[in-house]
Amino acid sequence: VIAMDFTEAFGGFQPRFPHMHHLLAVLCLVAVVYKLTILLRKRRDAFRHMEPFPGPPAHWLFGHVLEFKQDGEDLYKVVKWGQKYPYAFPMWFGPFVCFLNIHHPDYVKTILASTEPKDNFAYRFIESWIGEGLLVSKGQKWFRHRRLLTPGFHYDVLKPYVKLMSDSANTMLAKWERYAKTGESFELFEHVSLMTLDSILKCAFSYNSNCQTEGGTNAYIQSVYELSNLINLRFRTFPYHNDLIFYFSPHGFRYRKACKVAHNHTAEVVRKRKEALKQEKEPGYIQTKRNLDFLDILLCARDENQQGLSDEDIRAEVDTFMFEGHDTTASGISFILYCLACHPEHQKKCRDEIMQTLEGKDSMEWDDLSKIPYTTMCIKESLRLYPPVPGISRHVTKPLTFFDGRTIPAGCNVGTSIFGIHRNPTIWENPDVFDPLRFLPENVSMRSPHAFVPFAAGPRNCIGQNFAMNEMKAVVALTLKRYQLIEDPDWKPKIIPRLVLRSLNGIHIKIKPVDYDV
């Protein structure tokens, strides 16, 4: 009887299930319509906000995405648009995402003088990798972290790094002997990237990885390449802007796998240091055993309330600095060496200056860095032509008015084309020509300080720019002391904006030993 009653009761529910399906379908439809309405309103508002800024025609669905062919010409196309639309113009990524792209110093100083946060669109895609470190954090968290980390870049901390950078550079240059003997062309970025990783691990984390000599492919380097490519792919692929779609896609799977490799690498570095600190107990004791480094400062930093950084904050800052400190510098050094290979007359002047400074030494020292002004000008000119970070973007939280009276309201995204500013013909005469004399003091004084911003500017500028410049000087000096760099006319870089500036076909040169008798 009970069984029959249960069956009848259960059976009574069956007719209601079809109505549940209908209700679910209606709810889904309402959700889709609601989301679409919000997106359409967002699109309408973006059109209204960008009305004062004319720009290149955009496809109604794809925006300007189809204009970018990923063929090495995309950045030059943005420069060309900038010549037609002075100061700034809108760029659409899909039907709903719009950035105001600025490419003039008079405009860029307005945005870079502020502490406006990085945009919540492009940088959102990188957060699952590097967390809320200095690159993407905002507000009080960014201000607190910036204050706690600044002592890590004091010149007293940076001084001993120059010797370590020299050691890493010499390891790389020793590997190049086979190319010098055969005269064959070789790809720079892979070698330089391993060297800058080796350097950052030694300098910032006192960690000897032997990544340049261990043979095979370095898993961390490969994970950084993979993450960089996948984040850029996600940015360009509109459906991947949805977290759920990206998560279940094959690319999402690869992203999570690469993230795991990168995070494990970071966790291992931090774990080993914590163990060492337990043994050493006091920061004063650290100084007697080895150089105080970035990781020591991270782990020992305290604010006015004697509060340190959480484990999650430490991981985020380590991941941020590990990426920012090696990938950007690797891009910069690779293009600097390429530029010097293409301009032997400037290369010779640099070498003469370096030989006089080093006086037979095989390593750079802190005091040597200030004795190579012509080499420094060549480095800056290469950073102008090939900025390691070709663009940055901010999210405006309050109305922003530019010098010509045009205004954008709160909620807009502003992209700064560093590549566009550095190639702007209204600022730079013959902008595509390599001319280090642009950076003579008398020429610099005639330009806006925002005409050259490879490390950004203002309160959110690159905290590690002195570290990067020191490494670039040391590596270039030791390379030119040992080798003559020769252009390979069969390999012209096809530059593309990834998380850092890269080349589709690599960056190739030839080398031969320096003949001191010539």
Side-chain angles (χ1 to χ4, degrees):
V1 176
I2 294 173
M4 287 179 62
D5 290 343
F6 178 79
T7 305
E8 288 172 7
F10 184 75
F13 278 95
Q14 286 181 324
R16 297 178 190 174
F17 274 98
H19 298 294
M20 291 287 288
H21 288 306
H22 292 154
L23 181 60
L24 191 61
V26 169
L27 287 172
C28 287
L29 182 62
V30 168
V32 169
V33 170
Y34 175 73
K35 181 68 174 176
L36 192 60
T37 303
I38 291 174
L39 289 171
L40 288 172
R41 185 179 298 169
K42 183 180 176 183
R43 178 178 168 86
R44 182 199 63 195
D45 290 346
F47 268 115
R48 190 174 72 251
H49 298 157
M50 294 298 159
E51 204 171 338
F53 302 93
H59 188 277
W60 70 272
L61 179 62
F62 300 108
H64 295 104
V65 171
L66 297 181
E67 296 285 342
F68 301 121
K69 311 295 185 187
Q70 302 294 307
D71 58 357
E73 296 297 320
D74 294 343
L75 286 168
Y76 297 105
K77 181 169 286 186
V78 174
V79 172
K80 194 173 180 182
W81 283 343
Q83 293 171 16
K84 189 173 181 181
Y85 306 101
Y87 298 107
F89 57 86
M91 282 177 60
W92 287 84
F93 296 90
F96 307 116
V97 178
C98 184
F99 283 77
L100 180 67
N101 183 72
I102 60 180
H103 54 90
H104 193 282
D106 292 342
Y107 258 51
V108 79
K109 70 180 178 183
T110 305
I111 186 71
L112 293 187
S114 72
T115 55
E116 294 287 31
K118 300 296 173 69
D119 78 78
N120 52 11
F121 174 64
Y123 289 92
R124 176 172 66 87
F125 300 153
I126 200 176
E127 266 192 56
S128 54
W129 171 18
I130 64 171
E132 282 194 77
L134 274 184
L135 181 65
V136 297
S137 59
K138 55 191 175 185
Q140 282 304 308
K141 181 170 186 174
W142 170 81
F143 185 77
R144 177 175 180 263
H145 283 214
R146 178 85 182 203
R147 196 172 72 248
L148 289 175
L149 268 59
T150 297
F153 298 93
H154 189 273
Y155 76 90
D156 280 338
V157 177
L158 297 179
K159 246 181 186 178
Y161 291 174
V162 180
K163 172 70 168 62
L164 299 173
M165 291 167 176
S166 296
D167 291 344
S168 294
N170 282 327
T171 300
M172 177 184 74
L173 297 173
K175 290 166 61 183
W176 286 7
E177 285 183 5
R178 64 189 180 98
Y179 301 118
K181 287 175 182 174
T182 63
E184 65 181 294
S185 179
F186 68 102
E187 204 282 317
L188 275 173
F189 194 93
E190 185 178 345
H191 289 271
V192 176
S193 192
L194 275 174
M195 184 272 298
T196 55
L197 176 62
D198 190 22
S199 221
I200 196 83
L201 289 168
K202 284 177 182 172
C203 295
F205 307 107
S206 301
Y207 180 73
N208 289 307
S209 67
N210 300 316
C211 64
Q212 293 196 77
T213 54
E214 67 183 5
T217 305
N218 183 278
Y220 176 72
I221 287 281
Q222 291 305 312
S223 72
V224 170
Y225 289 166
E226 179 85 332
L227 289 165
S228 175
N229 289 332
L230 289 171
I231 288 166
N232 279 280
L233 174 71
R234 187 177 182 188
F235 184 80
R236 299 192 312 270
T237 309
F238 175 66
Y240 280 176
H241 295 180
N242 181 280
D243 291 337
L244 201 62
I245 293 173
F246 183 70
Y247 184 90
F248 287 108
S249 71
H251 292 113
F253 174 78
R254 282 168 50 193
Y255 178 84
R256 292 192 300 279
K257 187 178 177 183
C259 252
K260 188 176 180 182
V261 172
H263 289 163
N264 287 344
H265 182 270
T266 303
E268 179 67 5
V269 170
V270 175
R271 184 188 65 77
K272 288 187 175 181
R273 175 55 52 82
K274 281 187 171 181
E275 286 178 3
L277 282 177
K278 279 179 185 176
Q279 295 172 359
E280 294 168 353
K281 303 289 185 187
E282 296 294 330
Y285 182 72
I286 295 169
Q287 193 65 39
T288 64
K289 300 294 286 183
R290 56 179 165 75
N291 297 312
L292 186 74
D293 64 20
F294 177 72
L295 189 51
D296 289 322
I297 287 164
L298 267 183
L299 292 169
C300 300
R302 296 292 181 270
D303 60 19
E304 59 275 10
N305 300 317
Q306 294 305 304
Q307 295 296 309
L309 295 169
S310 68
D311 287 349
E312 185 181 344
D313 289 340
I314 289 169
R315 185 191 69 74
E317 297 301 352
V318 169
D319 276 330
T320 298
F321 193 57
M322 201 90 81
F323 160 65
E324 288 283 328
H326 102 266
D327 215 29
T328 52
T329 316
S331 174
I333 291 170
S334 298
F335 281 107
I336 291 163
L337 298 179
Y338 170 75
C339 284
L340 291 173
C342 294
H343 299 92
E345 69 283 12
H346 296 299
Q347 183 186 153
K348 184 179 185 306
K349 287 182 181 179
C350 290
R351 183 177 291 107
D352 291 344
E353 175 183 73
I354 289 160
M355 299 303 289
Q356 187 176 350
T357 299
L358 289 179
E359 297 178 330
K361 293 184 299 185
D362 289 325
S363 183
M364 285 287 281
E365 295 173 5
W366 175 263
D367 291 339
D368 297 329
L369 299 176
S370 58
K371 297 176 183 176
I372 49 171
Y374 196 85
T375 305
T376 303
M377 289 195 296
C378 287
I379 288 171
K380 288 182 176 179
E381 177 65 350
S382 176
L383 292 175
R384 181 188 71 82
L385 287 168
Y386 302 102
V389 180
I392 54 177
S393 54
R394 300 278 184 87
H395 181 72
V396 177
T397 59
K398 51 185 177 292
L400 201 66
T401 301
F402 297 102
F403 80 98
D404 57 3
R406 290 189 288 184
T407 300
I408 54 170
C412 290
N413 290 319
V414 178
T416 296
S417 174
I418 293 174
F419 189 89
I421 292 167
H422 288 183
R423 301 260 186 161
N424 190 326
T426 66
I427 308 302
W428 304 92
E429 188 178 350
N430 300 319
D432 296 328
V433 173
F434 184 86
D435 180 10
L437 298 184
R438 300 178 199 273
F439 290 95
L440 283 169
E442 56 268 32
N443 293 333
V444 171
S445 65
M446 295 171 63
R447 287 191 302 268
S448 162
H450 291 89
F452 178 66
V453 285
F455 301 106
R460 289 199 70 134
N461 68 347
C462 173
I463 194 172
Q465 59 183 292
N466 290 327
F467 177 97
M469 279 300 294
N470 292 348
E471 184 167 20
M472 286 187 267
K473 289 180 185 181
V475 174
V476 170
L478 293 175
T479 303
L480 293 188
K481 177 182 182 293
R482 195 159 175 170
Y483 297 118
Q484 182 180 335
L485 313 180
I486 304 161
E487 179 186 11
D488 184 348
D490 296 331
W491 290 92
K492 296 285 185 185
K494 296 180 179 180
I495 59 172
I496 48 170
R498 292 291 183 250
L499 290 178
V500 298
L501 191 70
R502 298 287 301 272
S503 170
L504 274 173
N505 57 340
I507 305 168
H508 293 76
I509 62 167
K510 297 177 181 180
I511 59 172
K512 67 179 184 181
V514 171
D515 187 350
Y516 294 106
D517 296 328
V518 175

